[in-house]
Amino acid sequence: MKGWKIVAPSQIEEHEIIESPESSTLSKVKITKALISLSDVLTFKGESDYNDVILGKAGIGIVSETETNLFGLEKGQHVYVEPYKQCNECYNCKSGNTNKCLNFQIAGEDYNGFLSDFTAVSSDRLFVLPESVPDLEALFIEHISLAIAVIDKLGIQKGDYVSIVGANNFGNILAQLLIYYQAVPIVLTTNDEDYQIAKNSGIYYVLNQDDNWNKEVMSITSGRLTKSVVYISDCNIPITKAFALASYNASVAFTGSSFKNTPVYFSQAIKKQLNIQCINGGFGNTATSINIIANKAINLSHLKLDTSTYDNVPSTLEKMSDMLDNEGKIYETVVDLV
């Protein structure tokens, strides 16, 4: 097995993957497509910590070998590989509460990810994909899972107004999912292209950089502002904008598909006695996310994506890094490995 690994800032090399002894007892998956996201680019640029692992948080593929005496998973099946696994060492894991693991490990950050030809994985992290789930949409299962986690943890109900600060692919997916659950998203962005994509996706309330956000949100909510605000970590918008849109004692969630560092000033949050939540993963929501895609509950066709191949991963990361420096954003890139 082989894959792409960061060896120094702005330097990536193809490495042979040395299988651990436990790999012989796991299922093997031939990776067919993977996704390069902002977290990979930040790691490539040296702006986030990197471990000695293969990059790539999202991947789909074909089962090439299954664990012995395993029922329900067969060679040749099309699968999504869940990127999270429990540490099995913290107090919660040892107490049997693995769904509340204190140190979830993430593919491409804590252990080998999916910018590789094969991966070895426990069968409980493999989800068979129905024929009604296209490959490109399957790569966004984790985005949908994270959006579900945000909605659940904020306790958003039917009819609730929700401000979403940031309109990248994840912000777009979250807004569409809120509409599916009959809440009312108000999406705010400073990027004209993201603004148009959001409008094309059927999101009714979308505000751009020329709008007076506070005035418009006040008008939409009849002067109440919103009791739930979601700040997308890589939106390049001051967090004070999110605090300004929150009503007294509202909940503000910090989330996103990357852990980009952003300066935070809490004076406004303290004054309003806001409840701050940090949400970094959608563990446990994979099956629900697959059903949402299969049932066409949201429209992913408008999302902006680039494409690449396995051999072009180094040049792709360099291009994405330059784009981030020059334009402040990137387009998530689908890598074809077959």
Side-chain angles (χ1 to χ4, degrees), residues 47 91 103 109 126 128 133 169 182 195 229 286 297 309-310:
E47 295 182 13
Y91 174 81
N103 300 297
E109 297 181 19
L126 296 178
V128 178
V133 175
N169 287 343
Q182 300 183 46
Y195 171 86
V229 179
T286 299
T309 63
Y310 177 84

Side-chain angles (χ1 to χ4, degrees), residues 112-331:
N112 284 336
F114 308 122
L115 281 175
S116 59
D117 54 355
F118 284 88
T119 188
V121 62
S122 173
S123 61
D124 60 0
R125 293 178 43 239
L126 296 178
F127 291 79
V128 178
L129 294 171
E131 291 184 4
S132 57
V133 175
D135 284 359
L136 294 183
E137 296 188 9
L139 289 172
F140 286 92
I141 288 172
E142 171 53 23
H143 287 60
I144 300 171
S145 296
L146 178 58
I148 294 170
V150 170
I151 293 169
D152 287 345
K153 291 185 179 180
L154 290 180
I156 295 168
Q157 303 295 317
K158 177 181 178 180
D160 285 351
Y161 290 95
V162 182
S163 293
I164 301 174
V165 182
N168 60 6
N169 287 343
F170 173 71
N172 185 299
I173 287 170
L174 174 60
Q176 289 195 57
L177 199 60
L178 284 166
I179 294 171
Y180 176 68
Y181 288 136
Q182 300 183 46
V184 185
I186 306 170
V187 176
L188 308 103
T189 179
T190 57
N191 184 278
D192 291 338
E193 186 174 29
D194 288 343
Y195 171 86
Q196 194 57 54
I197 291 172
K199 297 295 286 187
N200 292 341
S201 299
I203 302 166
Y204 186 75
Y205 292 119
V206 187
L207 306 180
N208 63 20
Q209 57 189 337
D210 296 326
D211 293 314
N212 184 320
W213 289 0
N214 279 59
K215 181 179 179 180
E216 294 292 337
V217 172
M218 289 276 282
S219 176
I220 293 168
T221 62
S222 301
R224 293 171 293 175
L225 295 174
T226 52
K227 70 175 186 178
S228 295
V229 179
V230 181
Y231 180 85
I232 310 301
S233 62
D234 48 17
C235 67
N236 297 318
I237 298 171
I239 289 177
T240 52
K241 296 284 188 180
F243 293 156
L245 299 170
S247 60
Y248 180 82
N249 205 218
S251 294
V252 179
F254 293 158
T255 188
S257 55
S258 73
F259 303 149
K260 184 178 179 181
N261 289 322
T262 304
V264 183
Y265 303 95
F266 284 108
S267 59
Q268 196 173 12
I270 295 170
K271 184 177 181 180
K272 287 187 173 183
Q273 297 194 48
L274 302 180
N275 302 301
I276 307 298
Q277 297 201 45
C278 299
I279 305 169
N280 71 350
F283 179 78
N285 295 326
T286 299
T288 302
S289 300
I290 292 173
N291 285 333
I292 285 172
I293 296 174
N295 292 323
K296 311 299 181 185
I298 60 176
N299 182 0
L300 303 180
S301 64
H302 297 292
L303 300 185
K304 180 69 176 181
L305 295 171
D306 277 340
T307 58
S308 183
T309 63
Y310 177 84
D311 290 338
N312 288 329
V313 164
S315 60
T316 298
L317 280 168
E318 290 176 3
K319 175 185 173 182
M320 295 173 77
S321 177
D322 290 341
M323 183 177 181
L324 186 61
D325 288 338
N326 296 326
E327 302 181 26
K329 66 169 293 181
I330 61 152
Y331 299 126

Side-chain angles (χ1 to χ4, degrees), residues 47-108:
E47 295 182 13
S48 63
D49 294 335
Y50 65 90
N51 296 314
D52 187 28
V53 297
I54 302 300
L55 289 181
K57 183 178 179 180
I60 59 173
I62 303 296
V63 177
S64 59
E65 296 180 31
T66 64
E67 298 163 52
T68 57
N69 301 318
L70 185 65
F71 176 78
L73 187 69
E74 300 176 0
K75 183 177 179 180
Q77 286 181 318
H78 190 206
V79 294
Y80 168 78
V81 189
E82 190 169 61
Y84 298 100
K85 64 180 181 180
Q86 301 94 328
C87 70
N88 294 319
E89 296 179 355
C90 70
Y91 174 81
N92 287 344
C93 282
K94 291 184 177 180
S95 300
N97 297 316
T98 54
N99 62 320
K100 297 181 180 179
C101 174
L102 299 175
N103 300 297
F104 271 117
Q105 298 178 345
I106 304 173

